[in-house]
Amino acid sequence: MANNNRGSFSSKFGAIAAIAGSAVGLGNIWKFPYVAGENGGAAFLLIYIGITLLISIPVLLAEFSIGRHGQGNAFRSFVNMTGKKGWGAIGILELLGAIFVLASYCVIAGWSLEYIMRSVMGGFHGMTQTQMDVQFDMFVASGWRPIVWMVVFLIINSGVLGMGVTKGIERCSKFMIPALFCILVMLAGVNLWQPGFQEGAAFILKPNWSAVSGHTVLAALGQSFFSLSIGMAAMITYGSYIQRQESLNGVGVIVSLATVLMAILAGLAIFPSVFSYGIEPTKGADLVFKTLPPLFAELPGGYFISILFFILLFFAALTTSLSIMESLVAFFSEELHIKRVWALAIGFAIILISSTLCAMSQMPDSHILVGGETLFDWTDKFCSAYILPLGGLACVILVGWFVPHHVVEHELTSSGKTPLWIYKFIVFMMKYICPVVIIILLVNCILDYFGVDMIAALMSLIH
Ligand code: TRP
């Protein structure tokens, strides 16, 4: 059953760096600070941390346990864990989710490479906000240029993966995650001297309980799951590389807290500049590719700040995409019994096609649409709304209800080293609370698709 030739993370720090690398991605940098700011700042943060500790970490631990016990790729781990092929379908679903996420992720990572180059050439200085908007829109709509950068990114990604789990992923993450942290601290430090620092810091750090509603809790839940890369094969695959002697709980908690810390720092690095220039805070691609470059260029040392910022974005995207691509590589090499390089070639081809389609769907008059949205937007939404909760739900139900207790206990107590009450608490959450909460999230997403606001509907039922 176990495959002894599989790679593994050689140290605890290596495992944490790689897993945090998967978790800390674009979601933390361009989405979390904004969502936090809009939903009550520190009030959201507290709810977010509570949800992460109580709900997301048990789901993450279920995925780790399936991976580490199953000792295989996302599909094989499910089969090994249960002895039944049918459960492998969940692994396949998660792998499909991984392909979807990676399709748009690689395109955005390519944009960050273009913007590193533009920063180096000093291209943002003196540009107005409108000029910046036009330039970005033209670049995205040009089609071929984003595709070239996406291919460059894929080659870098594959180059790292080609070196293997320990020498490639682990070594690269051990360098990039601390570097990411240092860049964030530096950027936040520069912002300390901005006139809008207080306002920017207050946007995400001042509690505003009046902004908190049922929507806040759902937003926190969705963001927390997405941020921890749950439900899309990556954490099962990486879980299978965590060595036996490491505590899964320890790794889970450290990674989750590191992810929150990075997201807060990202907020401190971004919003003070935004407020200093009296600009409305936004999120997503518009925030990082349109709003920020001209602001950064105005700061003292702006030339270096822009370069650092886009390197930050590139590192965050690379360590994340490594985990997704690795999930595919592990799957193809183990299931087709082929060498890693060939598995990598198959993964490369699949993502090349899907990312090219995503990039092309953003060209004017493109017909690559799904349900009226560009393929680029649709893949992202479909994964977050359906695949992620479904995958997470299946994992907690499997580990909470179907896997023999001694197996789960062995995984979650590190063979008896962790106090039993912690294990019992985690299993209780997996069995009863997480499934209910995830089903609520899923129902909300489905209702949302039909234009029904679940919280408002519930409220009107109560009244
Ligand atoms: N966690 C990543 C981020 O915050 C994105 C992500 C979502 C992801 N699901 C994933 C990464 C699955 C790897 C695998 O940006």
Side-chain angles (χ1 to χ4, degrees), residues 204-436:
I204 50 166
L205 292 180
K206 196 169 153 214
N208 172 12
W209 291 101
S210 64
V212 171
S213 67
H215 293 112
T216 316
V217 179
L218 286 177
L221 198 61
Q223 176 66 26
S224 175
F225 280 177
F226 186 80
S227 176
L228 290 181
S229 308
I230 282 168
M232 290 181 222
M235 289 309 180
I236 298 179
T237 311
Y238 272 12
S240 75
Y241 299 147
I242 302 177
Q243 290 191 1
R244 276 248 77 87
Q245 72 271 18
E246 308 296 356
S247 150
L248 294 184
N249 308 345
V251 173
V253 172
I254 294 174
V255 166
S256 305
L257 295 181
T259 313
V260 181
L261 177 69
M262 297 269 208
I264 297 174
L265 278 173
L268 293 178
I270 292 171
F271 287 116
S273 300
V274 173
F275 283 109
S276 298
Y277 289 87
I279 293 170
E280 276 293 297
T282 50
K283 64 175 173 181
D286 281 0
L287 172 69
V288 291
F289 293 106
K290 289 179 175 173
T291 310
L292 289 179
L295 302 188
F296 281 159
E298 292 282 318
L299 296 177
Y303 176 76
F304 296 104
I305 292 173
S306 320
I307 298 177
L308 274 181
F309 180 74
F310 288 107
I311 290 181
L312 165 87
L313 216 56
F314 165 66
F315 279 7
L318 181 61
T319 47
T320 297
S321 63
L322 285 176
S323 71
I324 315 182
M325 189 72 142
E326 174 61 23
S327 308
L328 298 179
V329 173
F331 173 73
F332 288 121
S333 72
E334 289 168 15
E335 296 313 313
L336 303 178
H337 306 289
I338 50 178
K339 282 211 174 101
R340 239 183 112 80
V341 291
W342 293 117
L344 196 52
I346 299 177
F348 188 98
I350 293 176
I351 302 303
L352 182 65
I353 295 169
S354 52
S355 288
T356 305
L357 288 175
C358 272
M360 283 169 59
S361 77
Q362 294 198 306
M363 289 161 77
D365 304 324
S366 156
H367 295 295
I368 313 178
L369 305 174
V370 187
E373 287 187 90
T374 62
L375 183 69
F376 180 90
D377 290 330
W378 179 82
T379 48
D380 178 39
K381 282 196 192 148
F382 185 74
C383 282
S384 314
Y386 305 110
I387 297 188
L388 185 163
L390 265 181
L393 181 64
C395 290
V396 275
I397 290 183
L398 172 64
V399 177
W401 291 94
F402 290 94
V403 176
H405 288 317
H406 69 272
V407 172
V408 186
E409 188 179 329
H410 185 64
E411 285 302 332
L412 294 183
T413 60
S414 302
S415 321
K417 274 186 249 145
T418 311
L420 212 59
W421 70 267
I422 295 186
Y423 154 74
K424 286 199 168 138
F425 175 73
I426 297 170
V427 171
F428 173 80
M429 295 308 278
M430 280 181 189
K431 263 182 126 145
Y432 304 104
I433 312 294
C434 296
V436 174

Side-chain angles (χ1 to χ4, degrees), residues 57-138:
I57 292 185
V59 185
L60 183 65
L61 292 176
E63 297 214 339
F64 281 168
S65 309
I66 294 170
R68 190 164 74 174
H69 187 78
Q71 280 301 298
N73 60 75
F75 164 77
R76 187 59 48 190
S77 288
F78 273 103
V79 178
N80 288 348
M81 187 86 169
T82 56
K84 297 197 179 82
K85 268 237 153 78
W87 279 100
I90 305 293
I92 300 288
L93 177 82
E94 295 209 1
L95 283 161
L96 274 179
I99 294 177
F100 282 3
V101 180
L102 198 51
S104 52
Y105 230 88
C106 284
V107 178
I108 302 168
W111 297 347
S112 69
L113 289 175
E114 159 94 12
Y115 274 63
I116 292 177
M117 196 192 73
R118 287 196 192 181
S119 309
V120 170
M121 305 209 307
F124 305 127
H125 198 76
M127 292 230 341
T128 64
Q129 204 69 59
T130 324
Q131 283 171 324
M132 208 54 228
D133 290 0
V134 173
Q135 225 189 45
F136 178 70
D137 291 338
M138 271 171 51

